[in-house]
Amino acid sequence: MKQISREVATGPDAVYRVLADGWTYGAWVVGNSRVRRVDSAWPEPGRRNRHSAGVWPLRVNDVTEVMALEPERRLELRARLWHFGTADVLIGLEPLGTGRTRVTMAEEFTAGPGSLLPGLLQDLALWPRNAESLRRLTDIALGRET
C-alpha cells in the first residue's frame, strides 16, 4: 500500500474537523458526487457515510464505514468503490510543529476485482485520485481556518 502525503499550514485539529464532518466527504473525495446520509456520531468506529459516486444517470450509491479512529491522528475507513470492489483507506495526521501538519493517505483494494491487481498496479491506479483528494481535503481545512 503506497502512501502519499501533503504538508499543510494548519494544525491537525483543522484537518480533523473536516474529516469528522461526514457531510464534507463528497467535497474532498474524488469521484463522490453527493452525501446521502451520515450516521450520528461519525466518525466513531462502525459508523457509516452513505454517498453516491459518478454523475446522473450513471450515479452509484456506495457506503464508507469507519474501522478505527484516533482523533486528530488517524482515521481508517473501508470504502466501497463501485464495481471495483472494496478498499481500506488510512488517513494519518502528523503535527509538524506549530500550525503545520503532514496529512498522509494510503489506500488498498481488499475485495472485489480491484484486489486482483498487483500492488504496483493498484498504486498507479489510486495515486492520482488520492493526490487530488488530499489537495481538496487540505484546501477545505485551510479555507475553514481563514
Side-chain angles (χ1 to χ4, degrees):
M1 182 176 349
K2 183 166 177 62
Q3 290 187 352
I4 183 169
S5 64
R6 179 180 176 95
E7 289 186 20
V8 59
T10 192
D13 58 323
V15 181
Y16 178 72
R17 280 194 298 273
V18 178
L19 296 170
D21 180 355
W23 291 101
T24 67
Y25 194 82
W28 63 267
V29 176
V30 172
N32 284 278
S33 56
R34 68 181 176 143
V35 174
R36 298 185 329 275
R37 189 173 68 173
V38 179
D39 286 353
S40 63
W42 172 274
E44 293 295 321
R47 302 301 191 226
R48 293 180 175 193
N49 182 322
R50 289 149 183 90
H51 49 86
S52 299
V55 295
W56 185 91
L58 304 175
R59 189 174 296 149
V60 176
N61 292 335
D62 278 329
V63 175
T64 295
E65 181 178 354
V66 177
M67 304 308 292
L69 171 69
E70 292 177 50
E72 297 186 20
R73 294 299 235 169
R74 179 182 180 99
L75 177 64
E76 294 181 38
L77 304 170
R78 178 153 296 142
R80 289 192 193 150
L81 300 171
W82 312 328
H83 55 280
F84 297 111
T86 302
D88 286 347
V89 181
L90 168 64
I91 301 169
L93 306 175
E94 177 187 352
L96 299 174
T98 306
R100 293 199 65 78
T101 305
R102 177 177 294 117
V103 185
T104 304
M105 181 183 281
E107 183 172 13
E108 178 180 31
F109 288 111
T110 55
S115 67
L116 301 175
L117 294 172
L120 179 61
L121 288 179
Q122 284 192 39
D123 293 343
L124 290 172
L126 294 171
W127 187 90
R129 176 177 177 268
N130 289 343
E132 177 62 16
S133 291
L134 272 186
R135 186 190 67 76
R136 292 179 186 187
L137 172 63
T138 57
D139 284 352
I140 293 169
L142 284 170
R144 286 184 170 187
E145 289 294 291
T146 56

